[in-house]
Amino acid sequence: MHISNGIIDGPVAAIFAAFALAALAFCVLRGRADLDDRLAPMAGLVAAFIFAVQMLNFPIFTAGVSGHLLGGALAALLVGPWVGALCVAVVLVVQALVFGDGGVAMLGLNITNMAILGTAAAYLLIALLLRVLPRTPAGLAVTAFVSALVSVVVASQGFVLQYWLGGTTDLGGNLGGLAGTMAVAHLLIGIGEGLITATTVVTVAKVRPDLVYALRALKPAVPAPAVPVAGGVR
Amino acid sequence: MSKRGWPFLLGGLLVALLLAGVVSNYASSHPDGLDSSLLKGCTVNADDEITGGTCPAQQAKDHELADSPLADYGVRGIGNDFLSTGLSGVLGVLLTFAFGAGLFWLARRRTPTGAAATGAGAPPPTGDR
């Protein structure tokens, strides 16, 4: 979902670059509380993993349309919302500066959609769902799937907002058409995102539940019967 | 890192390297959801190149670094597509890990972990590293 150069005009791209920079600075400030000697290399791994999975475009519809993981929900679940947003931003910066993927001038727009909006939407849902759903692998899987799916659709609508502000083609008042096309395509991509996110997080939770930030940080709304469980899972 | 942190880290990197280095060759090369939405109004050929009509995608300009040695997930100078894509993926994973982990390491909290820093439920730090 990387915006290429020329799609959004320069002034709007610059405004979003400033916004993205401010938001990332805020993430660094808040994220430092989470970021200790243990989380720093883990966060590097999460960024590397997201880079890898973003290369794996999967087909949607039957026609010639594909989609790939954005990673905001996955990162938020594994390393928390602040560091998670930074992980996705790191991936986007490497892609723009080294792989020619997503215009350098469009970086602020892309970071806003995928790193900031996507991760924020995901974590709001994660925080809600993990508190109300049972602390089981199924509960974690549903949380991951739903938050990932919604985060992709929210990110896609971030682009629609940007296109409304600074799109380089006059859609003749048909912004709703673009919004609808984007929403449907990203609903389908979101299903893929949800499956990948749920599979990955449930696997990590099985191997190393202590490495899943969301399980450490978010306590159930109703305290479970007082049986202390090592690692904090379920 | 805790004692059991390194195996997980290495295992995770290995999975990422396999995905980016091998599985990436089986990825769909069609335009993604955003690009295809911007193609609405145009007709495209089998290679997804615009053949007619008008659509927002026609405004797209070249990437600033389109001639980077790793542009478009290939290694310039390597003719074999499988090798080129795979190697670019491997380099990307290593680069992203180095860049990300390096930045996060520099930005990490350096206050001694003894105080209130361990947080709720976390096992006490063992002091190894």
Side-chain angles (χ1 to χ4, degrees):
Chain A
M1 210 187 85
H2 300 55
I3 303 169
S4 303
N5 279 334
I7 298 298
I8 307 282
D9 68 31
V12 170
I15 290 167
F16 276 93
F19 171 78
L21 204 61
L24 292 181
F26 187 68
C27 287
V28 172
L29 289 178
R30 294 295 302 263
R32 285 196 76 186
D34 299 328
L35 208 50
D36 54 18
D37 288 4
R38 208 167 82 113
L39 196 76
M42 264 301 293
L45 172 62
V46 167
F49 186 80
I50 290 173
F51 175 90
V53 182
Q54 283 208 1
M55 282 183 79
L56 311 179
N57 282 56
F58 47 84
I60 61 165
F61 304 115
T62 45
V65 182
S66 73
H68 61 70
L69 181 91
L70 304 186
L74 179 62
L77 281 159
L78 292 178
V79 293
W82 314 109
V83 178
L86 294 171
C87 285
V88 181
V90 161
V91 173
L92 296 172
V93 168
V94 170
Q95 287 169 333
L97 295 185
V98 181
F99 292 89
D101 190 11
V104 178
M106 304 288 126
L107 199 46
L109 302 156
N110 284 323
I111 287 177
T112 300
N113 294 339
M114 290 183 264
I116 296 166
L117 286 179
T119 309
Y123 199 72
L124 289 174
L125 271 169
I126 291 165
L128 176 76
L129 291 175
L130 267 191
R131 286 196 177 95
V132 297
L133 290 175
R135 285 284 165 137
T136 58
L140 181 62
V142 170
T143 300
F145 181 85
V146 173
S147 62
L149 191 153
V150 173
S151 77
V152 174
V153 177
V154 168
S156 83
Q157 297 306 303
F159 169 72
V160 176
L161 172 75
Q162 293 163 352
Y163 206 85
W164 176 63
L165 292 170
T168 49
T169 297
D170 185 4
L171 296 175
N174 195 18
L175 190 79
L178 178 67
T181 313
M182 284 292 284
V184 171
H186 288 88
L187 199 65
L188 296 172
I189 295 171
I191 294 173
E193 175 109 8
L195 294 174
I196 296 171
T197 305
T199 307
T200 309
V201 171
V202 169
T203 305
V204 176
K206 203 171 275 176
V207 183
R208 291 289 304 270
D210 57 311
L211 292 183
V212 181
Y213 177 97
L215 294 179
R216 291 198 305 269
L218 298 166
K219 300 283 161 248
V222 184
V227 182
V229 180
V233 74
R234 87 190 57 162
Chain B
M1 291 300 289
S2 66
K3 256 179 276 172
R4 287 175 58 219
W6 291 111
F8 183 88
L9 203 63
L10 290 176
L13 270 178
L14 193 66
V15 172
L17 287 171
L18 279 175
L19 292 176
V22 181
V23 184
S24 60
N25 274 290
Y26 303 98
S28 165
S29 56
H30 286 301
D32 69 12
L34 188 149
D35 288 327
S36 70
S37 298
L38 296 179
L39 282 169
K40 220 172 188 184
C42 285
T43 50
V44 296
N45 64 15
D47 291 331
D48 299 309
E49 288 156 350
I50 295 173
T51 52
T54 51
C55 57
Q58 286 164 319
Q59 297 299 319
K61 296 187 175 61
D62 281 342
H63 195 277
E64 295 92 336
L65 306 166
D67 50 1
S68 143
L70 292 174
D72 292 324
Y73 302 91
V75 182
R76 196 184 333 135
I78 295 188
N80 182 320
D81 279 352
F82 196 95
L83 215 60
S84 179
T85 303
L87 192 58
S88 83
V90 166
L91 291 172
V93 165
L94 295 176
L95 191 66
T96 307
F97 178 74
F99 179 52
L103 280 182
F104 291 127
W105 188 256
L106 288 176
R108 80 193 189 280
R109 173 165 50 81
R110 269 164 252 214
T111 47
T113 39
T118 47
T126 47
D128 60 320
R129 62 161 200 251

